[in-house]
């Protein structure tokens, strides 16, 4: 646990809500540092963290479920303010001696609450006024613990918000962290600044300053290797390190032949021209393609690419000389220990980043972005002067176009997909959608269909368009792109990409589909 340098920090204890990361993002947006830890984090660890305030998240369980997440009262009784949200509030009421019971009707969605207070948590609100909030719960508080008072109520929740008279324990039945609670951010800010007394010290410039100082100190005279992919996370990591340790950093860019058109050249030029950074390009296109010959199974493709990447990267790194560290662009969502009540989840896809490398090469990891959410990593990129086009880049999978070519990856099929993808991205940019959607890309299907061009019968490939909205890639929905734009994309692809006579649109959400097709 870290972050003391920012003066105040909030601890979020996670009871498994789908909104826990959103609470953290709202706190960070208010320039207060926070970390998410599982609800069963030991009291000693919590004391070590020394939080300025604690937030108990919501969660899917009912207090009365067998196996419902419970914590010791001592865990939250550290003398610092506590805010319970949804399950967190019910749990707070329960351990403080109140009565929680199943509500007759599950309350889900927007609901009006009547606010009965205008201080502390509800500072800036008007007593007696209705506010809209987002509810999502099955249990409700029937009787307050002694020493507590009601701050707001709704039709289904007589206790929609509460606090104790000492002003240290607060609870809200609704979700202030979601946008459907219009004044939710204000409630959270009241908790942070009025109740906990936090100061807004967490800014990206303070992060950059501290990180550069820490990196200098940590690396000393050793050498660091960093793999760059052209994506935001690895680029920000590389530039941050370059600012800290200069020539002691060696960057390696492996062109696996599965990138989009012009991509490898663009990345090389950017680092060379804008940063005067030396990037070692390893062109292994042919090597990767020969290994992928005849392979059609998605998992096998991913495994081959991951393995070959390690081989190629390792060989180049050894050629450059002995290094002690490997830098990676790991972000906070990959680090948060997730709360699971259902046991480990199944492997859906083997993700390829640089997994396995540190062990193979006996390198220690440096992960300067591991405290940051994606939007914060982007802000750091802007702070470091990276161009907006790079900072706002859509995610691109490690195995590249191989997982967007269903069936065998061949030079011809790569060419078709690259041409179609270029047109799709061009139209999405022209329509000003590039930064609004999460990802937009083309997929080449392993089927041919009959068409007619001029008077000729054709029998050619099909391209699928995948354009999705998402917050974090865990869930996604297909973007409702205006029909005229879809029509233009389809026309341009069919008219200009040789070998394609049909374009289809993917209208599946995740789950049950995934974003990539393989
Ligand atoms: P799926 O297809 O699982 O993708 O819904 C979720 C997000 O992850 C990206 N993705 C990857 N990113 N290495 C990566 O770094 C990978 O192997 C990989 N596979 C998928 C995908 O583009 C989407 O944003």
């Amino acid at each position: 646990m870290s972050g003391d340098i920012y003066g105040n920090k909030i601890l979020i204890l996670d009871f498994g809500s789908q909104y826990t990361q959103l609470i953290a993002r709202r706190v960070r947006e208010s320039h207060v540092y926070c970390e998410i830890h599982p609800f069963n984090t030991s009291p000693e660890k919590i004391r070590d963290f020394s939080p300025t305030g604690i937030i108990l998240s919501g969660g899917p369980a009912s207090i009365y479920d067998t196996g419902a997440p419970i914590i010791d009262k001592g865990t939250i009784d550290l003398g610092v303010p506590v805010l319970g949200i949804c399950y967190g509030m019910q749990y707070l009421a329960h351990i403080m001696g109140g009565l929680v019971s199943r509500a007759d009707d599950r309350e889900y969605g927007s609901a009006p609450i009547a606010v009965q207070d205008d201080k502390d948590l509800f500072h800036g609100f008007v007593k007696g006024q209705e506010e809209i909030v987002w509810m999502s719960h099955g249990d409700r508080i029937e009787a307050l613990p002694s020493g507590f008072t009601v701050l707001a109520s709704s039709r289904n929740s007589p206790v929609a918000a509460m606090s104790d008279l000492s002003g240290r324990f607060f609870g809200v039945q609704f979700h202030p962290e979601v946008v459907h609670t219009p004044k939710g951010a204000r409630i959270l800010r009241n908790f942070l600044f009025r109740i906990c007394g936090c100061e807004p010290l967490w800014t990206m410039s303070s992060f950059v300053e501290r990180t550069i100082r820490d990196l200098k100190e940590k690396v000393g005279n050793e050498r660091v290797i960093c793999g760059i992919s052209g994506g935001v996370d690895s680029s920000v990591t590389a530039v941050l390190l370059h600012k800290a340790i200069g020539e002691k950093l060696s960057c390696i860019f492996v062109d696996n032949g599965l990138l989009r058109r012009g991509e490898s050249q663009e990345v090389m030029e950017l680092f060379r021209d804008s940063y005067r950074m030396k990037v070692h390009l390893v062109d292994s296109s042919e090597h990767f393609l020969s290994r992928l010959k005849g392979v059609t199974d998605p998992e096998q493709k991913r495994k081959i690419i991951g393995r070959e990447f390690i081989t190629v990267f390792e060989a180049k790194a050894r050629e450059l000389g002995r290094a002690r560290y490997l830098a990676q662009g790991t972000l906070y969502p990959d680090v948060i220990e997730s709360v699971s009540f259902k046991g480990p989840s199944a492997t859906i896809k083997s993700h390829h980043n640089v997994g396995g490398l540190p062990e193979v090469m006996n390198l220690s990891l440096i992960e300067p972005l591991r405290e940051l959410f994606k939007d914060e990593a982007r802000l750091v990129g802007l702070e470091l002067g990276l161009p907006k086009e790079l900072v706002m880049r859509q995610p691109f999978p490690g195995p590249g176009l191989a997982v967007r070519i269903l069936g065998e990856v061949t030079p011809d099929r790569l060419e078709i997909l690259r041409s179609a993808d270029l047109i799709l991205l061009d139209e999405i940019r022209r329509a000003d959608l590039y930064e609004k959607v999460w990802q937009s890309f083309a997929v080449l299907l392993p089927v041919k269909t009959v068409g007619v061009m001029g008077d000729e019968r054709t029998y050619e490939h099909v391209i699928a368009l995948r354009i999705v909205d998402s917050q974090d890639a865990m869930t996604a929905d297909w973007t409702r792109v205006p029909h005229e734009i879809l029509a233009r994309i389809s026309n341009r692809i069919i008219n200009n990409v040789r070998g394609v006579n049909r374009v289809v649109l993917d209208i599946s959400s995740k789950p049950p589909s995934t974003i990539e097709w393989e």
Side-chain angles (χ1 to χ4, degrees):
M1 298 195 190
S2 59
D4 351 15
I5 190 110
Y6 303 111
N8 25 224
K9 344 168 233 184
I10 296 292
L11 171 69
I12 299 169
L13 286 177
D14 182 16
F15 287 96
S17 164
Q18 55 174 328
Y19 299 133
T20 304
Q21 289 200 21
L22 219 46
I23 303 174
R25 286 169 59 175
R26 296 287 166 268
V27 173
R28 300 259 189 116
E29 278 162 18
S30 304
H31 303 295
V32 174
Y33 184 76
C34 65
E35 287 184 15
I36 300 173
H37 289 274
F39 67 90
N40 53 3
T41 303
S42 71
E44 300 76 60
K45 220 170 156 189
I46 294 180
R47 257 190 295 278
D48 281 354
F49 183 65
S50 170
T52 321
I54 298 177
I55 297 179
L56 310 177
S57 86
S62 158
I63 298 281
Y64 298 109
D65 285 347
T66 37
I70 50 170
I71 50 176
D72 194 74
K73 194 172 167 202
T75 308
I76 50 168
D77 212 354
L78 299 181
V80 300
V82 177
L83 170 66
I85 295 177
C86 199
Y87 180 87
M89 150 150 142
Q90 290 155 7
Y91 192 71
L92 197 60
H94 176 69
I95 48 169
M96 296 289 185
L99 180 67
V100 180
S101 70
R102 286 194 201 279
D104 294 337
D105 295 314
R106 214 182 122 73
E107 199 175 14
Y108 184 82
S110 279
I113 55 164
V115 177
Q116 290 154 36
D117 194 28
D118 57 5
K119 301 183 298 301
D120 303 327
L121 207 55
F122 287 96
H123 175 85
F125 286 71
V126 178
K127 262 190 205 177
Q129 193 150 310
E130 268 198 355
E131 299 291 347
I132 297 298
V133 299
W134 185 257
M135 293 283 193
S136 167
H137 62 105
D139 289 356
R140 69 179 198 186
I141 295 172
E142 291 296 336
L144 286 171
S146 72
F148 274 72
T149 173
V150 175
L151 303 179
S153 49
S154 75
R155 201 165 58 79
N156 278 318
S157 303
V159 185
M162 64 174 195
S163 76
D164 76 325
L165 299 172
S166 75
R168 202 150 57 76
F169 294 101
F170 293 83
V172 288
Q173 181 58 77
F174 52 90
H175 288 275
E177 68 276 23
V178 304
V179 289
H180 314 292
T181 300
K183 290 197 188 158
R186 174 173 230 159
I187 293 174
L188 288 173
R189 280 201 305 272
N190 282 341
F191 178 70
L192 299 175
F193 299 118
R194 300 201 154 258
I195 296 167
C196 299
C198 291
E199 283 182 75
L201 300 173
W202 169 254
T203 61
M204 290 308 106
S205 61
S206 67
F207 171 84
V208 168
E209 203 178 298
R210 185 197 75 165
T211 307
I212 290 181
R213 201 174 55 224
D214 289 356
L215 285 171
K216 265 189 191 143
E217 196 176 307
K218 175 166 184 173
V219 173
N221 283 322
E222 304 285 348
R223 282 190 49 246
V224 181
I225 295 194
C226 180
I228 58 169
S229 67
V232 190
D233 312 340
S234 63
S235 304
V236 173
T237 303
V239 173
L240 208 45
L241 268 154
H242 185 69
K243 287 223 189 298
I245 61 167
E247 298 305 303
K248 281 176 276 181
L249 172 73
S250 305
C251 290
I252 301 178
F253 178 36
V254 175
D255 182 350
N256 57 13
L258 304 165
L259 301 171
R260 286 161 294 194
R261 185 162 298 141
E263 201 165 2
S264 109
Q265 204 181 343
E266 272 170 34
V267 173
M268 292 302 292
E269 282 172 6
L270 172 80
F271 281 95
R272 190 190 58 214
D273 301 342
S274 306
Y275 293 99
R276 314 246 166 263
M277 282 170 63
K278 189 163 170 48
V279 175
H280 302 272
L281 173 70
V282 190
D283 183 357
S284 310
S285 313
E286 283 177 20
H287 176 77
F288 277 83
L289 285 186
S290 71
R291 289 289 188 279
L292 288 169
K293 211 170 185 158
V295 179
T296 54
D297 177 68
E299 270 302 283
Q300 220 188 331
K301 281 185 195 173
R302 283 176 172 272
K303 293 215 166 95
I304 291 171
I305 296 165
R307 204 174 54 223
E308 293 309 316
F309 177 84
I310 292 182
T311 311
V312 171
F313 190 93
E314 194 197 359
K316 187 68 193 176
R318 290 211 194 285
E319 184 191 312
L320 293 174
R322 176 96 197 105
R324 162 107 192 266
Y325 296 105
L326 175 76
Q328 273 187 187
T330 314
L331 294 179
Y332 192 46
D334 307 321
V335 177
I336 300 170
E337 255 181 272
S338 62
V339 172
S340 167
F341 300 107
K342 300 197 189 92
S345 50
T347 300
I348 311 291
K349 298 175 186 186
S350 319
H351 268 221
H352 151 83
N353 289 320
V354 279
L357 253 181
E359 297 80 36
V360 171
M361 296 187 61
N362 198 16
L363 293 167
S364 306
L365 275 181
I366 287 193
E367 300 174 311
L369 309 184
R370 60 182 282 128
E371 287 170 0
L372 305 188
F373 286 105
K374 184 100 183 175
D375 40 356
E376 292 177 314
R378 289 194 159 125
L379 291 174
V380 168
L382 292 175
E383 185 79 30
L384 292 169
L386 282 162
K388 188 153 177 276
E389 304 82 73
L390 191 150
V391 168
M392 298 315 292
R393 236 167 178 213
Q394 294 176 359
F396 185 67
L401 299 180
V403 291
R404 295 178 180 174
I405 293 180
L406 278 59
E408 189 181 359
V409 181
T410 64
D412 289 351
R413 305 187 78 212
L414 270 165
E415 209 35 46
I416 292 176
L417 183 60
R418 283 195 178 115
S419 307
D421 200 59
L422 202 64
I423 294 173
L424 164 68
L425 284 176
D426 181 50
E427 289 295 339
I428 289 288
R429 282 204 174 91
R430 278 174 199 235
D432 203 19
L433 285 175
Y434 183 83
E435 288 178 20
K436 297 195 176 109
V437 303
W438 176 264
Q439 269 171 304
S440 45
F441 56 87
V443 180
L444 178 62
L445 306 191
V447 285
K448 286 186 168 185
T449 68
V450 172
V452 52
M453 255 186 211
D455 292 329
E456 297 279 314
R457 174 188 188 273
T458 58
Y459 186 55
E460 292 178 331
H461 296 288
V462 183
I463 287 283
L465 310 179
R466 185 66 165 148
I467 309 165
V468 294
D469 296 321
S470 174
Q471 288 282 331
D472 51 15
M474 299 296 288
T475 60
D477 197 10
W478 57 283
T479 308
R480 276 40 169 191
V481 176
H483 289 176
E484 317 77 73
I485 299 166
L486 292 172
R488 251 197 322 273
I489 296 172
S490 166
N491 281 341
R492 277 185 65 190
I493 291 178
I494 293 174
N495 288 332
N496 295 293
V497 182
R498 203 173 280 260
V500 174
N501 68 358
R502 194 176 295 272
V503 171
V504 296
L505 178 67
D506 181 350
I507 52 169
S508 342
S509 61
K510 172 183 180 175
S513 299
T514 52
I515 296 177
E516 304 288 346
W517 278 43
E518 288 195 336

